Amino acid sequence: MDKYLYIKQLFENMQDQNQALSMAQYMKNQFVFYGIPTPQRRKLYKDFLKQEKKHKQIDWDFLDLCYQDSHREFQYFVCDYLKMFQNQLVYEDIQHMKVYIKDKQWWDSIDNFDTIIGQIGLTDQRVDDLMLEWSLDDDFWLRRLAIDHQLGRKEKTNTILLEEILVNNLNSHEFFINKAIGWILRDYSKTNPQWVRDFIQQYHEKMAKLSIKEGSKYI
């Protein structure tokens, strides 16, 4: 059976209309859902992904087809697929992922791709320049991804790059930008609280209250 149709059948067999309505409402009715919670969804295609990994090659045509599906679970599936192939992803793959990033945009998909691209950046410094470029993009979702792509890096955080990206996004009135600024500062404060204190002190007048509140949570 065609791989896309196989995954679609898995989802359809487990769909829950009541849960689907609830999940859609949580996402401000941006998307339709099958109504499958994350643990059950991942369990459905766990064995399939194991088989895919044996091929040692990303099937972009298959992923394109999946990402085009209107059900949100398919976008989650694509992200899980790419995370499974994380060690094989290279800088050139980002342009392919950008097609997904620009489509069906909302915080849940963006917050998956930021970690995927962030991992590529740990081994390819070209990602630094790209994220700096995206931090100035007209598309605030690309800016959000750039802001948070270093989440979880701890001691490996490039603070020079982080400061440049954050400064590019200060004085913003966009909730999702100000929230992202707060998140990356809060996350890094667990590793280097003094750096975060200094940043907030230096740029306090330009920062949204939300960013300061989130960023100061652990300091």
Side-chain angles (χ1 to χ4, degrees):
M1 181 186 293
D2 176 270
K3 290 192 291 186
Y4 164 71
L5 292 178
Y6 174 74
I7 298 299
K8 191 174 185 68
Q9 186 175 76
L10 290 179
F11 287 158
E12 289 179 347
N13 289 343
M14 287 292 292
Q15 63 184 331
D16 181 328
Q17 289 301 319
N18 290 330
Q19 186 70 15
L21 290 174
S22 177
M23 293 170 78
Q25 289 174 355
Y26 180 70
M27 289 296 173
K28 306 295 184 183
N29 293 309
Q30 298 280 328
F31 314 101
V32 294
F33 285 81
Y34 285 112
I36 309 170
T38 298
Q40 289 91 323
R41 170 174 49 80
R42 287 176 173 161
K43 187 176 180 180
L44 281 178
Y45 50 69
K46 180 180 179 180
D47 290 339
F48 173 84
L49 288 183
K50 285 182 179 179
Q51 290 300 314
E52 282 294 290
K53 194 171 186 179
K54 291 179 180 179
H55 301 320
K56 299 182 179 181
Q57 185 174 354
I58 298 172
D59 188 343
W60 289 106
D61 290 337
F62 167 55
L63 294 185
D64 288 349
L65 196 58
C66 288
Y67 212 86
Q68 290 166 12
D69 194 282
S70 61
H71 290 84
R72 197 57 168 169
E73 283 88 351
F74 267 104
Q75 283 86 65
Y76 298 154
F77 167 78
V78 170
C79 291
D80 285 340
Y81 183 111
L82 290 172
K83 288 176 182 177
M84 181 190 67
F85 276 98
Q86 181 75 68
N87 292 336
Q88 292 176 238
L89 290 170
V90 295
Y91 178 81
E92 287 73 21
D93 292 325
I94 295 176
Q95 287 306 309
H96 202 133
M97 284 186 276
K98 187 179 179 182
V99 176
Y100 304 152
I101 293 165
K102 297 284 288 183
D103 187 26
K104 302 178 181 68
Q105 293 174 305
W106 200 238
W107 63 263
D108 54 340
S109 57
I110 299 302
D111 292 357
N112 270 289
F113 284 111
D114 62 13
T115 55
I116 294 170
I117 292 175
Q119 283 295 111
I120 299 173
L122 285 172
T123 56
D124 194 324
Q125 292 186 348
R126 288 179 293 175
V127 173
D128 293 354
D129 291 334
L130 182 63
M131 292 298 99
L132 197 56
E133 177 186 325
W134 284 13
S135 75
L136 293 166
D137 200 275
D138 290 338
D139 183 346
F140 73 81
W141 290 115
L142 285 183
R143 299 204 307 275
R144 178 183 170 95
L145 190 154
I147 290 166
D148 280 348
H149 84 280
Q150 294 195 77
L151 277 170
R153 281 193 182 179
K154 300 181 179 180
E155 293 83 2
K156 295 180 180 179
T157 299
N158 181 336
T159 54
I160 296 174
L161 176 64
L162 176 59
E163 183 170 1
E164 285 188 81
I165 288 175
L166 292 180
V167 169
N168 285 344
N169 285 277
L170 298 181
N171 289 319
S172 174
H173 298 292
E174 171 54 56
F175 169 83
F176 288 108
I177 291 297
N178 292 328
K179 189 78 169 179
I181 292 172
W183 277 349
I184 189 65
L185 289 174
R186 181 181 64 188
D187 181 70
Y188 189 53
S189 73
K190 300 173 188 176
T191 300
N192 192 340
Q194 189 58 52
W195 189 94
V196 175
R197 287 192 198 98
D198 291 343
F199 181 91
I200 293 176
Q201 182 177 6
Q202 181 176 354
Y203 297 105
H204 186 275
E205 296 301 320
K206 297 180 179 180
M207 293 179 68
K209 291 181 181 179
L210 175 62
S211 300
I212 295 172
K213 178 182 177 182
E214 291 287 342
S216 303
K217 187 172 182 180
Y218 299 129
I219 59 175

